């Protein structure tokens, strides 16, 4: 329940969450004189390694990871990077495999975990170590937003280093497909109903209105509909027990989700998120709802925002920032703690955060990064993170424990594959969070 309280405070204190870069001054702790840098490279005078377990394998994800690896090579030439990435967006394959390894006492040296309830699971299971001392050693205590640090902290101890902040509630669209359907690409849609009208026009033009992929992307879509229809307070209430999952507002939101799914490609369950984004890139679909790692994907393909693709928050969620953050841990029993220490130093450093996020589509978790190094989309995300209401992503581990997310995902999959009607779907969601 403590994390629930934190989310409430995040929402209440959204205006206080600030990436006011100019005001933060130069807090650059990214230098080679830190004790961490010295000990990781000189431990036993020997080379070491670090197996980094992620699910970053697509264009923008891989490019971001490569950015971190190149900073590691510069700062810690004696630390060999071992890529433990397991393909599958949102960790759809990686998380189960990771759990097997943790339970078999064969952890990777470090693994990717979402700030919030997902990380909390690992902490409560005693699978990750307190790394508070590294925050002191690397000078990280003051470089991240306090609300983010709160999400990473349990009982005063901190268990991971955040690499970034992503936004989950974005639409990516193909302006040519919209124009061909008689729509104005510059149009904005205030409500879901307005958006449906536009989708009808796309459908009439013979294109897929909304591309989507396998279950987790449908859950990502669902969370944005819940944000739009319930509002920030109602959406946050789903996670702190103050919004009734069985209520009529929820029924109406699920009806909108059902309607949205009716506009999607039928081969969705065989696809992952890059495939659905590709449908927008190729011009076979008009819209795709996805977190802003899609921006990294468009960038990796050399596409230009404004002409090749456009973006806007999911209709009805303009005032919200669907928050998630990737962070890196030190698992209990990690075989190469010196290698992990070097990796965590790089992940938390200004240089590492810049190299990673420029390619990943996310914004740096650090508050002292230079915004001019980032794309116009990222600059807008930096501004939005400072000004919008921050709400936790369901699909990406911020809002709910993994067991709850799994139960919700099962209910979504059953519904979207025709295994349940809307009333049963809603009942199953009630049970999932029960
Ligand atoms: C999220 C993760 C992002 C991105 C995305 C798609 O869960 O936080 O960094 O990788 O999955 O795979």
């Amino acid at each position: 329940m403590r994390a629930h309280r934190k989310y409430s405070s995040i929402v209440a204190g959204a205006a206080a969450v600030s990436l006011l870069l100019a005001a933060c001054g130069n807090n650059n702790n990214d230098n080679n004189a830190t004790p961490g840098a010295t000990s990781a490279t000189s431990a036993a005078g020997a080379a070491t390694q670090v197996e980094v377990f992620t699910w970053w394998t697509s264009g923008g994800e891989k490019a971001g990871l490569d950015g971190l690896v190149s900073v590691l090579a510069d700062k810690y030439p004696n630390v060999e990077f071992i890529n433990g990435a397991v393909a599958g967006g949102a960790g759809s394959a990686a998380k189960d495999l990771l759990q097997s390894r943790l339970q078999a006492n064969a952890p990777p040296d470090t693994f990717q975990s979402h700030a919030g309830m997902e990380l909390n699971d690992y902490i409560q299971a005693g699978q990750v170590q307190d790394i508070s001392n590294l925050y002191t050693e690397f000078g990280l205590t003051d470089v991240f937003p306090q609300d983010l640090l709160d999400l990473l902290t349990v009982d005063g101890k901190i268990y991971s280093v955040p690499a970034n902040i992503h936004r989950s509630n974005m639409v990516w669209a193909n302006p040519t497909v919209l124009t061909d359907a008689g729509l104005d690409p510059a149009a904005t849609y205030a409500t879901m109903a307005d958006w449906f009208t536009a989708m009808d026009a796309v459908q009439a033009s013979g294109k897929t209105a909304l591309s989507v992929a396998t279950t987790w992307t449908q859950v990502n879509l669902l969370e944005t509909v819940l944000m739009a229809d319930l509002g920030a307070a109602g959406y946050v209430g789903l996670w702190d027990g103050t919004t009734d999952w069985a209520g009529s507002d929820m029924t109406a939101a699920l009806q909108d989700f059902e309607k949205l799914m009716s506009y999607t490609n039928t081969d969705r369950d065989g696809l992952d998120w890059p495939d659905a984004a590709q449908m927008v890139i190729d011009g076979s679909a008009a819209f795709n709802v996805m977190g802003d790692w899609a921006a990294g994907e468009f960038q990796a393909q050399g596409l230009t925002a404004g002409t090749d693709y456009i973006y806007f928050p999911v209709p009805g969620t303009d005032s919200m920032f669907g928050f998630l953050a990737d962070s890196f841990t030190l698992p209990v029993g990690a075989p190469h703690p010196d290698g992990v220490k070097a990796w965590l130093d790089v992940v938390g450093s200004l240089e590492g955060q810049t190299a990673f996020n420029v390619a990943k589509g996310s914004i740096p978790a650090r508050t002292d990064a230079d915004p001019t190094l980032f794309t116009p989309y990222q600059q807008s995300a930096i501004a939005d993170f400072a000004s919008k209401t921050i709400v936790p992503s369901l699909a990406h581990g911020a809002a709910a424990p993994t067991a709850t997310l799994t139960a919700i995902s099962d209910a979504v999959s059953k519904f979207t594959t025709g295994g349940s009607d809307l009333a049963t779907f809603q009942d199953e969601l009630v049970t999932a969070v029960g």
Side-chain angles (χ1 to χ4, degrees):
M1 289 302 107
R2 62 180 284 119
H4 288 161
R5 188 161 39 77
K6 286 171 185 168
Y7 287 125
S8 308
S9 90
I10 267 191
V11 171
V17 176
S18 172
L19 281 182
L20 292 176
L21 300 153
C24 287
N26 183 3
N27 251 329
N28 185 358
N29 290 289
D30 179 17
N31 60 66
N32 284 318
T34 61
T38 310
S39 65
T41 45
S42 64
T48 186
Q49 65 182 50
V50 59
E51 187 204 354
V52 178
F53 187 98
T54 70
W55 52 87
W56 291 335
T57 57
S58 79
E61 292 176 333
K62 175 72 168 52
L65 187 57
D66 288 348
L68 284 172
V69 173
S70 74
V71 176
L72 181 76
D74 280 355
K75 290 187 75 170
Y76 295 98
N78 289 341
V79 178
E80 184 191 0
F81 170 80
I82 309 287
N83 192 351
V86 175
S92 45
K95 284 192 205 168
D96 283 350
L97 187 62
L98 174 64
Q99 206 45 253
S100 312
R101 287 186 62 175
L102 294 177
Q103 278 168 18
N105 294 320
D109 289 310
T110 182
F111 63 85
Q112 171 189 0
S113 174
H114 289 123
M117 296 306 277
E118 179 185 309
L119 177 70
N120 201 47
D121 282 346
Y122 296 113
I123 297 170
Q124 299 306 336
Q127 293 168 323
V128 290
Q129 299 185 46
D130 171 16
I131 56 163
S132 311
N133 61 324
L134 294 183
Y135 271 68
T136 314
E137 194 169 323
F138 298 147
L140 297 177
T141 328
D142 299 325
V143 300
F144 300 120
Q146 189 56 46
D147 280 347
L148 174 56
L149 287 177
D150 287 348
L151 283 177
L152 302 170
T153 307
V154 170
D155 293 336
K157 296 173 183 160
I158 189 150
Y159 291 85
S160 64
V161 176
N164 63 353
I165 292 167
H166 267 304
R167 186 177 191 180
S168 70
N169 56 316
M170 294 301 293
V171 179
W172 311 91
N174 183 313
T176 308
V177 174
L178 297 178
T179 307
D180 290 349
L183 297 166
D184 176 4
T188 53
Y189 309 100
T191 64
M192 282 282 153
D194 295 340
W195 201 24
F196 294 154
T197 307
M199 291 205 195
D200 288 334
V202 176
Q203 232 173 20
S205 78
K207 298 287 176 76
T208 299
L210 179 66
S211 67
V212 78
T214 191
T215 306
W216 77 262
T217 71
Q218 299 167 26
V219 176
N220 199 138
L221 179 64
L222 174 65
E223 77 178 38
T224 67
V225 179
L226 299 178
M227 290 172 197
D229 287 2
L230 303 176
Y235 174 79
V236 170
L238 292 171
W239 314 116
D240 68 12
T242 57
T243 296
D244 181 8
W245 283 76
S248 56
D249 289 358
M250 190 66 187
T251 310
L254 296 180
Q255 282 165 348
D256 278 348
F257 176 66
E258 181 175 36
K259 176 91 173 155
L260 278 175
M261 288 300 297
S262 76
Y263 289 110
T264 64
N265 44 302
T266 50
D267 62 351
R268 56 200 177 220
D269 290 308
L271 307 180
D272 203 350
W273 73 270
D275 308 308
Q278 197 65 41
M279 290 178 69
V280 169
I281 294 169
D282 293 345
S284 64
F287 302 111
N288 175 238
V289 170
M290 192 38 53
D292 52 14
W293 42 94
E297 191 65 29
F298 291 127
Q299 193 180 325
Q301 297 198 24
L303 302 174
T304 307
T307 48
D308 295 324
Y309 68 98
I310 57 172
Y311 52 81
F312 51 87
V314 170
T317 73
D318 189 44
S319 64
M320 289 169 249
F321 189 106
F323 162 91
L324 63 130
D326 297 300
S327 68
F328 282 92
T329 57
L330 173 58
V332 171
H336 304 98
D338 278 345
V340 184
K341 193 171 178 182
W343 180 256
L344 295 179
D345 182 26
V346 168
V347 167
S349 70
L350 182 60
E351 197 185 356
Q353 299 237 327
T354 303
F356 173 67
N357 287 293
V358 155
K360 185 67 165 61
S362 41
I363 61 174
R366 288 182 70 116
T367 54
D368 56 353
D370 176 359
T372 64
L373 299 175
F374 294 87
T375 64
Y377 167 73
Q378 289 167 312
Q379 292 180 24
S380 72
I382 289 170
D384 285 348
F385 183 68
S387 64
K388 307 281 180 181
T389 302
I390 311 296
V391 296
S393 167
L394 164 64
H396 307 284
T402 299
T404 304
L405 173 58
T406 302
I408 291 175
S409 302
D410 288 348
V412 167
S413 171
K414 190 170 163 188
F415 178 62
T416 61
T417 55
S420 57
D421 61 14
L422 196 95
T424 309
F425 178 35
Q426 186 165 6
D427 284 349
E428 290 184 355
L429 292 176
V430 172
T431 308
V433 295

